[in-house]
Amino acid sequence: MRFIELAETAKARLLDDDNQFHDKSERIVGLMRSFGIVPTRRASLWGHHHKLLAAMLVTAADEDTTVDISTRRKGNLTEAGLTTSMIKWFDNLVDKQMLIPRNGANKALGSLLLSEGLMEKLK
């Protein structure tokens, strides 16, 4: 699923009172912070963006879909109401092998599969 559409779905799910979804998202945020994928500095300011990214990954896992990065243009992110740091964080997820590009790239572009390690954390 295109990551902008995935973000919209994740935003809607974050508004729901689904404790299991919120718990999974918080676990992924902690994992991303411990691996340095998202910064821990000023986490109180950026934390909602971190949780949205985690919620996107949880949503992709729940819907058994890939995360598709069709554009790296920051203007598209801004238009969608997302932070421009999102692409850098996706690149960090690829670098830490939590997301695996189908095309073999070393950056977040195209269809990204959730790694087995990440899927284990979501169980």
Side-chain angles (χ1 to χ4, degrees), residues 16-75:
D16 291 341
D17 190 25
D18 183 355
N19 290 335
Q20 187 176 12
F21 177 75
H22 285 279
D23 180 55
K24 287 179 182 180
S25 297
E26 287 296 333
R27 278 189 280 151
I28 297 303
V29 168
L31 184 69
M32 290 189 304
R33 286 182 179 156
S34 68
F35 278 104
I37 292 166
V38 294
T40 55
R41 188 174 181 193
R42 296 173 52 169
S44 60
L45 181 64
W46 289 91
H48 65 284
H49 292 297
H50 300 167
K51 187 155 182 185
L52 176 60
L53 177 60
M56 290 168 66
L57 297 175
V58 173
T59 300
D62 289 349
E63 294 185 6
D64 196 32
T65 187
T66 58
V67 179
D68 299 329
I69 310 289
S70 56
T71 180
R72 295 176 59 89
R73 190 172 165 267
K74 292 184 179 183

